[in-house]
């Protein structure tokens, strides 16, 4: 008897429906075709044990399983459950009337229980597009799939519950969640707050500008000056997620398998801070079994690289293209995938190997050659792509001992949101542009015009700091954001002057 069940595979951050055809006929042996990998081939042993543990039997006949489309490699253990259901239906141990109306996925344990799988959210979205009635999956993944509307989601704990469901003796109830209620309940709540940061008003101002315009920023200062502490609080001043952004980000984390068990929609912007020993593949994604990298997991959030010069040069250089294009294309001999990478890049570093170059109190022990060699680990092209360069000086004791509470993240976020609303109106005819940092050269010419006085100021800065054409454009973008924060239609000289000071760490001025 021939039965068709439906599973799904993930390619990039999107899903593709897989038809699992199971044919049980007189004969012997178990055959599986359709380009399965080793994890799929090994499912035979898991299925046999799970069937026996739940009171069913493996048919003593010839079983042929075809997984279509046959030219796409099937990877992972999520095919266990659709294969088992197909075998049970083809051998008439369960009713087969409705098995083709559901997408089925799940990994089987030897005792018949179901383990969670990756990529559930994009699979659920694709199931709705293809007008499936529902999706049957492990209970631990049910809330993740239930954020998708117009789809019946059934979370099962074991194979017996799935069999009873198709036999009409359902003991599992559909999982239903109010997506909007769950999203808005905690979308603007953060554990860390800027009111904890003592002093550093100039750094807070720079990060407010960066958040308002989506700009990249690097902080350079002595050890213990608060660089990491401040960076961890950046998500709390970014505009809250929109539902569209939350779905995009949750899809990526779902594919990577880093969503917590029993979780639904992500409600807060991600903050990723990989260790400096990370490889280039782990940062941008890819591998034998392609997975999103750290830059994609930081999509719509913050990627923070602490102690930037300690990262391998090759790892830092692969950031260049994603910082410009906001996506990463992974091309290999056997596959090509595209991952989104629209992140805000934040980095921190010491000014020299000992950390005390230009320190107001402690003496630097490094030679000029050592300082230049240390700073030279960051290439000029990468530095050019960072909009704001901020010097962080140690906080004096009187500021640390001040018991007055500083400005809260909520107060800063209100100004950031107001500036972003101005930008949304400005770019209303450009749906792919969301903030000033993403402006094209044509948009810079249109929206960032400056007066003759401003042109003179820029010309002087270009000559003295040795700035590149890319840095010239980025100064204009930052000045546009500063003007938006001040609710000014035009870029004034003071806006340009403030933007220029955030390029003070450019190559020609470092170490001199």
């Amino acid at each position: 008897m021939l039965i068709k069940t439906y599973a799904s595979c993930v390619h990039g951050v999107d899903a593709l429906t897989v038809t699992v055809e199971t044919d049980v006929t007189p004969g012997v042996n178990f055959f599986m075709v359709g380009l399965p990998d080793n994890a799929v081939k090994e499912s035979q042993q898991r299925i046999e044990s799970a069937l026996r543990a739940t009171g069913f039997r493996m048919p003593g006949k010839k079983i042929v399983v075809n997984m279509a489309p046959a030219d796409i490699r099937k990877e992972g253990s999520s095919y266990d459950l659709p294969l088992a259901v197909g075998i049970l239906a083809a051998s008439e141990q369960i009713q087969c009337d409705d098995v083709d109306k559901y997408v089925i996925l799940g990994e089987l344990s030897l005792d018949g229980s179901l383990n969670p799988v990756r990529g559930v959210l994009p699979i659920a979205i694709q199931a709705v597009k293809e007008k499936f009635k529902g999706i049957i999956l492990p209970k631990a993944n049910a809330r993740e799939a239930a954020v998708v509307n117009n789809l019946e989601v059934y979370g099962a704990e074991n194979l017996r519950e799935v069999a009873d469901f198709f036999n009409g003796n359902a003991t599992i109830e559909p999982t239903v969640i109010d997506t909007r209620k769950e999203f808005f309940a905690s979308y603007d709540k953060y554990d860390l707050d800027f009111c904890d940061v003592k002093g550093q008003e100039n750094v807070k101002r720079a990060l407010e500008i960066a958040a308002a315009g989506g700009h990249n920023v690097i902080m350079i200062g002595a050890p213990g000056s608060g660089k990491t502490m401040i960076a961890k609080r950046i998500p709390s001043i970014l505009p809250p997620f929109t539902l569209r952004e939350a779905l995009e980000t949750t899809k990526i984390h779902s594919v990577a398998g880093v969503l917590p068990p029993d979780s639904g929609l992500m409600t807060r912007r991600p903050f990723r801070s990989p260790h400096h020993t990370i490889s280039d593949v782990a940062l941008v994604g890819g591998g034998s079994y392609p997975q999103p990298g750290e830059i994609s997991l930081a999509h719509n959030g913050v990627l923070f690289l602490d102690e930037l010069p300690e990262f391998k040069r090759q790892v830092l250089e692969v950031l260049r293209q994603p910082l410009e294009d906001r996506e990463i294309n992974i091309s290999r001999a056997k596959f090509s995938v595209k991952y989104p990478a629209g992140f805000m890049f934040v980095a921190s570093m010491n000014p020299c190997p000992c950390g005390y170059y230009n320190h107001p109190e402690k003496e630097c022990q490094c030679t000029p050659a050592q300082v230049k060699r240390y700073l030279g680990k960051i290439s000029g092209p990468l530095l050019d792509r960072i909009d704001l360069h901020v010097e962080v000086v140690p906080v004096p004791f009187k500021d640390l001992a001040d018991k007055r509470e500083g400005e809260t993240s909520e107060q800063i976020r209100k100004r950031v949101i107001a500036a972003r609303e101005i930008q949304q109106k400005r770019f209303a005819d450009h749906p792919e542009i969301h903030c000033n940092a993403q402006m094209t050269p044509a948009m810079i010419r249109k929206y960032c015009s400056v007066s003759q006085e401003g042109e003179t100021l820029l010309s002087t800065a270009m000559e003295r700091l040795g700035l590149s054409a890319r840095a010239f454009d980025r100064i204009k973008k930052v000045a546009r954001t500063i003007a938006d924060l001040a609710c000014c239609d035009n870029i004034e000289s003071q806006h340009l002057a403030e933007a220029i000071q955030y390029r003070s760490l450019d190559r020609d001025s470092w170490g001199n």
Side-chain angles (χ1 to χ4, degrees):
M1 185 177 181
L2 176 63
I3 290 295
K4 290 185 179 181
T5 56
Y6 293 92
S8 193
C9 67
V10 177
H11 185 73
V13 292
D14 297 312
L16 176 69
T17 299
V18 174
T19 304
V20 180
E21 300 173 320
T22 306
D23 190 20
V24 176
T25 56
V28 293
N29 281 339
F30 183 99
F31 301 96
M32 186 181 297
V33 296
L35 213 58
D37 74 345
N38 287 335
V40 180
K41 291 176 182 177
E42 291 170 355
S43 64
Q44 179 184 356
Q45 284 71 37
R46 292 192 295 271
I47 291 171
E48 284 186 16
S49 181
L51 290 178
R52 189 165 54 251
T54 50
F56 296 103
R57 56 178 175 79
M58 196 73 168
K61 298 182 179 181
K62 178 183 177 182
I63 301 174
V64 178
V65 176
N66 176 46
M67 309 175 81
D71 59 339
I72 294 178
R73 190 166 184 80
K74 318 303 183 303
E75 301 168 348
S77 56
S78 64
Y79 297 98
D80 289 2
L81 187 57
L83 286 168
V85 170
I87 291 171
L88 290 175
S91 60
E92 299 182 345
Q93 297 181 67
I94 64 171
Q95 296 180 18
C96 58
D97 299 339
D98 293 333
V99 293
D100 59 349
K101 297 178 182 177
Y102 296 89
V103 172
I104 306 170
L105 61 151
E107 176 188 325
L108 282 171
S109 292
L110 297 184
D111 62 356
S113 59
L114 294 176
N115 297 324
V117 294
R118 296 180 176 186
V120 167
L121 182 57
I123 290 172
I125 292 172
Q126 186 64 24
V128 171
K129 289 180 181 178
E130 299 192 13
K131 301 188 184 307
F132 281 94
K133 182 179 180 181
I135 182 170
I136 298 172
L137 72 175
K139 193 170 184 178
N141 294 121
R143 288 182 60 81
E144 181 183 340
V147 303
V148 180
N149 296 325
N150 304 317
L151 185 71
E152 295 178 7
V153 178
Y154 293 94
E157 293 186 347
N158 52 61
L159 178 59
R160 168 54 69 179
E161 289 185 352
V162 177
D164 289 342
F165 174 82
F166 285 115
N167 284 330
N169 305 318
T171 58
I172 52 176
E173 296 292 331
T175 302
V176 179
I177 65 172
D178 188 332
T179 304
R180 290 185 174 273
K181 181 179 179 182
E182 182 167 296
F183 174 71
F184 289 110
S186 59
Y187 78 116
D188 60 349
K189 293 181 174 61
Y190 289 87
D191 299 328
L192 303 175
D193 197 286
F194 262 87
C195 67
D196 302 327
V197 181
K198 301 291 185 180
Q200 304 293 17
E201 299 304 323
N202 64 315
V203 184
K204 293 178 186 177
R205 168 64 177 173
L207 294 182
E208 179 181 335
I209 295 169
H215 302 289
N216 303 321
V217 58
I218 183 171
M219 295 178 285
I220 180 168
S225 55
K227 303 184 296 294
T228 304
M229 179 185 185
I230 295 171
K232 289 181 177 179
R233 285 157 174 77
I234 293 176
S236 68
I237 64 171
L238 290 172
F241 259 154
T242 63
L243 266 173
R244 179 189 60 80
E245 290 175 329
L247 278 170
E248 280 181 359
T249 308
T250 307
K251 277 177 64 175
I252 299 168
H253 285 243
S254 174
V255 171
V258 295
L259 281 179
D262 299 314
S263 64
L265 195 65
M266 291 180 64
T267 59
R268 293 183 287 187
R269 295 187 181 273
F271 179 86
R272 305 294 299 185
S273 180
H275 192 259
H276 64 259
T277 55
I278 190 172
S279 68
D280 53 346
V281 173
L283 187 66
V284 301
S288 301
Y289 300 96
Q291 290 292 317
E294 287 291 332
I295 63 172
S296 295
L297 293 173
H299 182 61
N300 291 322
V302 176
L303 176 68
F304 176 53
L305 299 188
D306 201 3
E307 303 298 344
L308 192 66
E310 301 303 325
F311 286 79
K312 298 183 185 72
R313 180 71 174 253
Q314 180 182 355
V315 172
L316 295 180
E317 293 309 302
V318 298
L319 281 172
R320 290 196 205 172
Q321 183 254 341
L323 284 173
E324 290 287 335
D325 298 342
R326 298 177 61 80
E327 64 181 19
I328 180 71
N329 293 291
I330 308 295
S331 297
R332 300 289 186 269
K334 295 182 180 180
F335 65 86
S336 178
V337 296
K338 181 185 294 184
Y339 293 119
F343 57 91
M344 177 179 169
F345 179 56
V346 180
S348 72
M349 62 180 291
N350 295 329
C352 66
C354 77
Y356 297 110
Y357 180 76
N358 276 346
H359 193 280
E361 298 173 359
K362 297 185 180 181
E363 184 178 352
C364 176
Q365 303 298 318
C366 306
T367 65
Q370 287 176 315
V371 175
K372 282 189 172 294
R373 191 181 308 115
Y374 183 77
L375 299 176
K377 293 181 180 180
I378 314 301
S379 70
L382 177 61
L383 195 64
D384 250 0
R385 289 166 167 80
I386 302 177
D387 303 346
L388 290 90
H389 308 162
V390 186
E391 290 187 83
V392 185
V393 298
V395 182
F397 174 77
K398 64 181 182 63
D399 289 340
L400 288 173
D402 192 346
K403 291 184 168 43
R404 290 177 298 177
E405 189 174 89
E407 198 172 28
T408 65
S409 292
E410 184 178 359
Q411 292 172 309
I412 300 174
R413 187 168 62 238
K414 286 179 180 178
R415 297 195 295 269
V416 169
I417 292 173
R420 286 288 183 107
E421 288 173 350
I422 293 173
Q423 294 166 51
Q424 286 176 2
K425 293 177 183 177
R426 177 180 300 136
F427 306 127
D429 297 332
H430 306 278
E432 73 283 359
I433 304 296
H434 306 292
C435 55
N436 289 333
Q438 300 171 14
M439 282 193 289
T440 63
M443 291 178 182
I444 294 173
R445 290 192 297 271
K446 181 177 180 180
Y447 299 117
C448 301
S449 58
V450 297
S451 63
Q452 185 61 43
E453 182 184 356
E455 290 288 355
T456 304
L457 186 62
L458 276 172
S459 174
T460 304
M462 290 285 290
E463 292 176 4
R464 291 187 178 179
L465 296 177
L467 302 177
S468 68
R470 182 184 285 114
F472 175 77
D473 282 348
R474 291 182 182 275
I475 286 174
K476 285 191 170 183
K477 291 179 183 180
V478 173
R480 178 69 269 172
T481 301
I482 295 171
D484 290 341
L485 282 167
C487 298
C488 292
D489 294 332
N490 300 316
I491 298 176
E492 306 292 345
S493 296
Q494 64 266 26
H495 304 145
L496 277 171
E498 186 177 0
I500 290 169
Q501 80 170 10
Y502 294 125
R503 304 297 304 191
S504 61
L505 299 180
D506 264 313
R507 179 65 60 185
D508 282 3
S509 64
W510 276 19
N512 294 331

